Amino acid sequence: MRCLRSLLREKTEPEIWAYLKVGRETVPVSHWESLLGCARSCDIRLFGEGISRYHAVLKRSDQGGWAVFDIFSRNGVWVNGSQVRSDGSPLRTGDVISLGGSCVTFQNISTEQRQKNEQNRTNSGKLVNPAVTLLELTLLQAFLLLQHAYSASRENFSVIAISFLTLGVLEWCVYQAMRLMDRLGFEIEILAFFLTTLGLSVAASSIPAGLYKQVLLIVASVVLFLLCGWGMRSLRILRSIRIPSGVLALGLLVLNILTSDSINGAKSWLEFGGYSFQPSELVKVFYIFAGAATLEMLYREKNLYAFLLYSAACVCALAIIGDFGTALIFFITFLVIAFMRSGSLATVLMAVTGAAMAAVMAVTVKPYIARRFTVWRHVWDDMFGTGYQQTHAISAAASGGLIGKGAGYGWLKNITYSDTDMVFAYVCEEQGLAVGICMVGAVLLMAFFAFRCAKNGRSAYYSIAACAASAMLLVQLALNVFGSVDMLPFTGVTFPFVSRGGSSLLSCWMLMAFLKSTDNRRGASFAVDPLHKIAPMEEKILPVTAHRKGKAGKKGKGSKKA
Amino acid sequence: MKKIRTRALFVLMIAFFVMAGMVWFVREDYLHGRRWAMAFSTFDNEAEGQLLDCNGVPLAAFGKGKRDYSGDYLTRVANYHVTGDFNGMSGTGVLTRFWGSAQDYDFVNGTSVRRHGTVFLGVDAKADNYAYTLLNSSGKGTVMVLNYRTGEVKCLVSCPSADPVDTEREVEDSAYLNRALSATYIPGSTFKLITSAAALESLPDLETMQFTCWGEYDIAGIKITCEEAHGVQTFEQALANSCNCAFAQITVQVGQKRMVQHVTDYGFLSGHTINGIYTSAGNYPLTFVGDPELAWSGIGQSVDQVCPFSMLRYVAAIANDGVLAEPSFLKTAQPEKTTQLVRPDTAARLQQLMRNNVKSHYEQYISFPGLELCAKTGTAETGAGTSHSWFTGFVRSETHPYAFVAVVEEGGYGLWSAGVLVNDLLQFMVNGN
């Protein structure tokens, strides 16, 4: 898995999408959404008497058309002499945009420039061949299967073997399908598959009988991931489903409150003909859908009240359900989105203060939460009572050492919820601390990836969504890992991808789609088409594509041999 | 988009916290891994080993599906509260809590089975057998002997006891209770040892004070009584006479705050662990009670409750010049950990006082041949017209540095039940007869 580290080596180069002529100078526009104004943090800085700090937003649509938006500037924005309306004004090459007296000329890039752009862009999969990484992952899976062969009973082993094979076939199928479409950026998927593999191993040693269901869920999650990713290519679709998905999410939560009985103090499950399902997991995805925003929306909808109210409703619903771990995840994701949208630390601090007060109230009203806090950092005082789960998790994690006891040889599996809430300790015991660290590292890597991509994102929407999604995964991880080892209060949330349980897996894979959509290396994501698809008509380009493809292929073969 | 990028640092910050948390966890794991891993390490069927007493007498053995105890009935029953059982009926035995020593741990490999996990105990099975025979004839109670230099438990018997082999038979009520570790009793006059320490450290002219006893002493209309009038006594004489009237005055002069301080410092109010086995916490009036009740609490009545193990820790620390060698069931030449429990000067004076108790008082009734004994008796009124008999102290000896505590439930006078029992046992353990 070390090979994935080089994911970060690949550079994302700025793309040029249009030019603005400011006086004699020509300024390239390198994003689909750019902020114009005189403030230092603007993407394109313009100086002039009438220019506001944040004046206007330039935005490119999926189809390649451009528009300019006025973001409540003092002196307004004018295109060719007519004032820009509230929903923006379309732009054509040669249009003169007047910003508070200063004029700039807009120039869309020509087809040739566009092709040049495309060629300059880093080819994903060039520096690190994903096939080799995937091969390593497959070897890891084979190794895990071998471990299970020793520990599992004969009838169980056949189930485990089929499950691992299915997973292996699935990942290669996805890879091949992507390759056929010339999409070579496969890092995010490999990270997710790595975690899913660990999850499968946990499920295999925990309850082998329910393994088919787990595999079925994995397949379903991957399909959903592909669908979501495909859908996210178009901002227009995204924006149109924003409000409905928000309503749907809240509706699911309300349904949950109304219908479900309490399981272990929290009524977080819905029953559907034998299948239990945790709506809060899916709401996570919808929440990000609804929360992220495009750049001009950031400035046009200055107030966050609607989003604030919506978030409060979600968190309250979760609190009523009694799922405080997830409520906390939502809250921090809310902070990330709120901060990325408003950029105001004051807002974040205010939200934190408000939440702290709410938390104090929750602790006084619900005694069982208070109990969790009193036991926190004192688990060893009551090893067989309130500290039972944490102490056993810590002990199991330590007894695995650095290299682990082997799949199926742990004893933590005998404890309820060890394969979900204490899954970090579970993996540490059976696979060792080293794998435990890799597991956390994989999620951290996703977060770094989101951060790196954020600056070059096509649209603020993708960047915010990716950051929110990775923050969600990080917080979930932190609560799961540090909660089970008594560094944070134990809240009983799942570890992304690894914890057994369907809804969690589905939502994590869907969150991946957000991360994937920010990646704008060529052929890496759904958002950026590979070279030949953009310019299939241009004869000049085709040989280049073929050449590049050939090179990549050769390299792949070469490294396989090595 | 520049703004968005700056704002995305927020996510990086969260990632940083997670990373810092992981580093912290790995560090903790590296430092405490052994303790963590051993806490619940299960009794592996693969492990082979045995439990031996200090002379190599096997008390229990385990192996592939094999779970044996000693072949001798008396050894099994007398040592039951030391060994415990494989079924976990007694939660305080070595077997139940010492699974770890059949295992090994290192940071890289984690726990591994030690194929020949022989556990050497400090306990002398023969002494246990002897003590059990003595105690069983006196009724219920407990005796515990500790090497105060090394912390090794040399003898631990609790009556009634159970036979771990015969799991079918109905056992006597509370037979699974380890009375030395898990029970608390009214301490009676043995508590005067704690009051004495508090007085020595807080009343500068204690040794020159004179206490007059007319057989009863009136505090705010409440009478504190002695069995006989002790007349005018020094502090040393008052302890030897175990004079309630004198100690009532002393306790009131020390005051509740300082009493509580000493009781807490000497560990009487908290539970302790011995090889991870938990012991009971005691009791002492912590909220304001007024002088009469305070006086009673200083002479070991009132609401006082003491776990015999806590008393043993205290006298063992006095015997070892104030330093407690933490008790352990394992055979060892060096204490695993030492704690300064009692101030050295206080400990030295208490040693003299306890020696004086024996020489000036107890030896008038019983002879302790060959033992340089320092001790204190206790006759704790249960409130039901009976008394628990306590005897606690230590032997001054370099070859047999033993501290002891004995409680015979409803045994009457401290010296006559517990004192006689301890004398018999020590004659066996120290002098071999």
Side-chain angles (χ1 to χ4, degrees):
Chain A
M1 299 321 291
R2 309 262 178 272
C3 169
L4 281 173
R5 303 274 144 88
S6 46
L7 165 77
L8 299 176
R9 276 214 321 257
E10 291 194 0
K11 269 192 192 159
T12 42
E13 280 143 16
E15 315 161 83
I16 295 165
W17 293 103
Y19 293 99
L20 282 182
K21 272 197 177 154
V22 186
R24 281 187 196 164
E25 238 178 305
T26 306
V27 184
V29 179
S30 51
H31 296 283
W32 282 22
E33 288 168 9
S34 304
L35 185 58
L36 273 61
C38 66
R40 185 183 291 232
S41 57
C42 287
D43 297 301
I44 297 164
R45 289 182 77 181
L46 300 168
F47 300 98
E49 227 169 84
I51 293 179
S52 307
R53 284 171 54 75
Y54 305 111
H55 202 116
V57 166
L58 265 183
K59 193 183 165 200
R60 182 188 187 273
S61 74
D62 302 326
Q63 284 75 32
W66 285 83
V68 66
F69 295 83
D70 183 3
I71 48 171
F72 303 113
S73 60
R74 243 181 304 135
N75 301 317
V77 181
W78 308 72
V79 175
N80 297 335
S82 56
Q83 185 158 20
V84 170
R85 283 165 288 137
S86 60
D87 54 344
S89 236
L91 285 176
R92 266 170 248 284
T93 300
D95 282 353
V96 176
I97 311 167
S98 146
L99 305 140
S102 314
C103 290
V104 291
T105 314
F106 175 79
Q107 197 173 20
N108 203 346
I109 47 167
S110 63
T111 323
E112 284 122 68
Q113 275 168 318
R114 204 163 126 189
Q115 281 153 9
K116 216 173 122 197
N117 265 343
E118 290 296 332
Q119 282 172 23
N120 282 342
R121 200 184 300 175
T122 317
N123 231 340
S124 63
K126 209 172 96 184
L127 290 171
V128 186
N129 190 333
V132 178
T133 325
L134 196 60
L135 199 69
E136 280 179 27
L137 180 63
T138 315
L139 283 177
L140 176 82
Q141 284 161 349
F143 181 60
L144 280 176
L145 189 60
L146 201 68
Q147 289 185 11
H148 281 291
Y150 275 100
S151 63
S153 66
R154 183 161 290 183
E155 64 264 38
N156 280 342
F157 180 67
S158 58
V159 181
I160 296 170
I162 292 170
S163 305
F164 270 92
L165 269 175
T166 316
L167 183 64
V169 169
L170 176 71
E171 68 200 24
W172 282 100
C173 278
V174 174
Y175 173 68
Q176 277 306 330
M178 299 289 245
R179 244 183 96 83
L180 281 178
M181 291 184 287
D182 276 328
R183 293 172 198 282
L184 290 170
F186 206 57
E187 297 87 354
I188 289 289
E189 287 89 336
I190 289 178
L191 284 175
F193 271 121
F194 166 62
L195 292 173
T196 310
T197 304
L198 290 180
L200 190 66
S201 172
V202 166
S205 75
S206 161
I207 39 160
L211 210 54
Y212 283 136
K213 203 171 135 190
Q214 187 76 11
V215 173
L216 208 67
L217 276 164
I218 291 174
V219 176
S221 319
V222 174
V223 170
L224 260 176
F225 160 70
L226 293 173
L227 283 177
C228 276
W230 210 250
M232 272 180 218
R233 293 166 72 219
S234 159
L235 268 177
R236 218 161 24 119
I237 303 176
L238 278 179
R239 288 189 61 177
S240 62
I241 62 167
R242 238 183 108 216
I243 309 265
S245 65
V247 173
L248 184 64
L250 211 56
L252 270 176
L253 285 179
V254 171
L255 186 71
N256 189 2
I257 294 171
L258 294 179
T259 58
S260 61
D261 298 321
S262 88
I263 302 176
N264 315 314
K267 4 182 214 178
S268 53
W269 299 87
L270 278 182
E271 295 276 344
F272 279 130
Y275 281 83
S276 55
F277 155 78
Q278 213 168 2
S280 56
E281 294 288 347
L282 286 186
V283 173
K284 283 179 188 167
V285 181
F286 293 135
Y287 183 72
I288 292 179
F289 258 129
T294 50
L295 195 60
E296 98 279 1
M297 280 161 68
L298 294 193
Y299 290 97
R300 294 192 62 81
E301 298 166 17
K302 273 249 168 184
N303 56 56
L304 282 164
Y305 291 134
F307 178 60
L308 208 76
L309 277 177
Y310 177 66
S311 305
C314 279
V315 173
C316 280
L318 285 166
I320 294 170
I321 291 166
D323 192 349
F324 285 89
T326 313
L328 192 59
I329 295 172
F330 266 75
F331 177 67
I332 296 186
T333 313
F334 160 74
L335 287 186
V336 171
I337 295 181
F339 181 69
M340 292 196 69
R341 280 180 66 161
S342 69
S344 131
L345 264 178
T347 316
V348 172
L349 286 177
M350 234 159 72
V352 170
T353 321
M357 283 194 274
V360 169
M361 270 176 62
V363 166
T364 45
V365 172
K366 296 228 172 181
Y368 80 94
I369 309 168
R371 234 178 295 136
R372 277 184 184 166
F373 276 93
T374 48
V375 79
W376 179 42
R377 302 307 289 166
H378 296 283
V379 290
W380 293 99
D381 299 349
D382 192 5
M383 288 155 62
F384 294 95
T386 46
Y388 184 81
Q389 288 177 302
Q390 294 95 313
T391 46
H392 281 76
I394 294 171
S395 180
S399 47
L402 206 58
I403 54 177
K405 287 195 150 355
Y409 282 112
W411 53 263
L412 192 66
K413 62 180 169 197
N414 301 323
I415 289 167
T416 346
Y417 296 120
S418 57
D419 53 359
T420 54
D421 300 351
M422 294 175 270
V423 80
F424 174 71
Y426 200 116
V427 171
C428 279
E429 189 193 15
E430 296 204 340
Q431 303 300 331
L433 184 63
V435 176
I437 293 172
C438 281
M439 183 165 116
V440 174
V443 181
L444 281 173
L445 212 57
M446 288 176 183
F448 285 125
F449 179 78
F451 169 71
R452 268 181 61 95
C453 289
K455 64 169 177 180
N456 285 334
R458 285 286 168 83
S459 160
Y461 189 94
Y462 292 130
S463 299
I464 293 177
C467 286
S470 56
M472 205 169 237
L473 292 178
L474 277 178
V475 174
Q476 202 176 329
L477 167 147
L479 286 179
N480 176 282
V481 173
F482 303 138
S484 65
V485 300
D486 196 33
M487 286 164 64
L488 289 176
F490 191 60
T491 42
V493 300
T494 54
F495 191 104
F497 300 99
V498 186
S499 284
R500 202 176 54 75
S503 8
S504 163
L505 194 67
L506 282 175
S507 80
C508 287
W509 272 99
M510 280 158 83
L511 289 179
M512 279 302 96
F514 286 115
L515 282 185
K516 195 73 184 152
S517 62
T518 46
D519 190 356
N520 62 355
R521 288 169 304 162
R522 180 164 31 154
S525 73
F526 305 111
V528 184
D529 276 323
L531 201 51
H532 66 240
K533 281 206 176 168
I534 290 172
M537 301 298 169
E538 302 292 323
E539 286 174 347
K540 272 187 200 166
I541 307 303
L542 278 172
V544 180
T545 320
H547 174 67
R548 291 215 166 204
K549 260 176 84 180
K551 234 173 124 184
K554 264 182 213 161
K555 204 178 170 196
K557 274 177 202 162
S559 37
K560 260 181 215 166
K561 267 180 205 162
Chain B
M1 295 305 288
K2 256 187 193 169
K3 278 183 114 49
I4 296 293
R5 191 210 171 173
T6 328
R7 290 172 191 179
L9 279 171
F10 197 30
V11 172
L12 219 55
M13 202 179 73
I14 299 177
F16 174 76
F17 277 122
V18 171
M19 251 189 332
M22 272 315 283
V23 170
W24 178 256
F25 173 71
V26 172
R27 179 182 165 272
E28 290 281 292
D29 190 20
Y30 186 73
L31 293 177
H32 307 298
R34 172 175 290 272
R35 190 166 59 82
W36 287 353
M38 293 303 182
F40 304 102
S41 45
T42 43
F43 201 69
D44 201 299
N45 282 330
E46 300 281 310
E48 278 178 39
Q50 51 186 342
L51 216 59
L52 303 178
D53 88 335
C54 66
N55 299 315
V57 176
L59 296 178
F62 42 89
K64 287 197 172 71
K66 183 179 72 173
R67 290 174 176 201
D68 291 339
Y69 301 92
S70 167
D72 175 36
Y73 170 77
L74 179 63
T75 309
R76 284 198 306 269
V77 176
N79 290 282
Y80 175 69
H81 288 285
V82 175
T83 58
D85 54 63
F86 292 108
N87 309 323
M89 295 299 286
S90 153
T92 51
V94 173
L95 280 179
T96 332
R97 301 290 300 140
F98 234 81
W99 290 336
S101 53
Q103 302 208 340
D104 224 344
Y105 172 85
D106 66 82
F107 182 67
V108 174
N109 294 304
T111 52
S112 51
V113 173
R114 200 187 276 167
R115 297 271 162 199
H116 299 286
T118 300
V119 182
F120 287 97
L121 300 181
V123 166
D124 182 349
K126 267 192 273 174
D128 266 4
N129 293 355
Y130 191 76
Y132 179 79
T133 318
L134 291 173
L135 190 60
N136 204 31
S137 61
S138 326
K140 297 178 179 178
T142 181
V143 187
M144 190 169 177
V145 179
L146 191 73
N147 181 325
Y148 55 79
R149 298 274 187 238
T150 61
E152 288 171 291
V153 175
K154 297 304 293 182
C155 167
L156 188 159
V157 166
S158 171
C159 274
S161 185
D163 182 358
V165 172
D166 194 359
T167 48
E168 300 298 313
R169 199 189 332 166
E170 281 278 310
V171 294
E172 211 177 323
D173 188 34
S174 75
Y176 292 127
L177 176 72
N178 186 331
R179 286 171 156 74
L181 306 182
S182 312
T184 60
Y185 294 99
I186 307 166
S189 299
T190 50
F191 200 80
K192 286 173 185 152
L193 289 176
I194 297 123
T195 311
S196 297
L200 283 169
E201 289 177 16
S202 40
L203 307 176
D205 49 355
L206 180 72
E207 303 278 3
T208 57
M209 281 158 93
Q210 300 236 310
F211 304 93
T212 314
C213 168
W214 302 114
E216 58 179 53
Y217 181 74
D218 191 296
I219 301 178
I222 309 284
K223 279 198 177 75
I224 308 279
T225 53
C226 283
E227 297 233 317
E228 55 181 300
H230 295 112
V232 179
Q233 329 151 74
T234 61
F235 167 63
E236 188 177 51
Q237 287 166 333
L239 183 67
N241 293 333
S242 199
C243 175
N244 290 346
C245 297
F247 270 84
Q249 298 169 48
I250 291 170
T251 312
V252 172
Q253 285 190 44
V254 171
Q256 192 178 357
K257 201 178 147 196
R258 276 186 288 219
M259 281 301 292
V260 169
Q261 188 63 48
H262 280 84
V263 174
T264 312
D265 287 351
Y266 298 147
F268 283 95
L269 296 184
S270 43
H272 304 281
T273 55
I274 165 168
N275 304 117
I277 299 165
Y278 288 86
T279 70
S280 292
N283 193 31
Y284 188 81
L286 296 175
T287 51
F288 177 76
V289 288
D291 285 351
E293 193 65 23
L294 177 62
W296 280 119
S297 77
I299 53 185
Q301 293 293 150
S302 179
V303 296
D304 296 8
Q305 288 283 332
V306 166
C307 171
F309 180 74
S310 298
M311 186 60 86
L312 185 60
R313 281 176 92 237
Y314 178 60
V315 292
I318 294 172
N320 200 26
D321 304 323
V323 178
L324 172 70
E326 285 295 342
S328 164
F329 279 116
L330 298 183
K331 189 175 183 172
T332 172
Q334 286 291 323
E336 198 179 310
K337 193 183 149 201
T338 55
T339 317
Q340 185 77 44
L341 196 67
V342 184
R343 240 165 64 179
D345 55 331
T346 311
R349 181 66 186 131
L350 282 170
Q351 287 177 9
Q352 293 169 353
L353 291 168
M354 288 166 80
R355 181 69 191 134
N356 178 60
N357 288 348
V358 176
K359 273 171 81 173
S360 70
H361 208 79
Y362 310 153
E363 278 187 346
Q364 291 174 12
Y365 307 99
I366 305 178
S367 65
F368 301 96
L371 299 175
E372 195 181 342
L373 204 67
C374 308
K376 180 75 193 84
T377 55
T379 309
E381 288 170 26
T382 58
T386 56
S387 308
H388 294 327
S389 171
W390 279 78
F391 196 62
T392 186
F394 56 94
V395 183
R396 272 186 182 162
S397 161
E398 279 313 309
T399 49
H400 297 94
Y402 294 158
F404 56 84
V405 64
V407 182
V408 179
E409 287 179 24
E410 304 184 335
Y413 285 107
L415 191 59
W416 291 124
S417 293
V420 168
L421 190 150
V422 166
N423 189 21
D424 273 1
L425 176 62
L426 288 178
Q427 292 302 333
F428 177 81
M429 289 177 75
V430 179
N431 300 332
N433 51 40

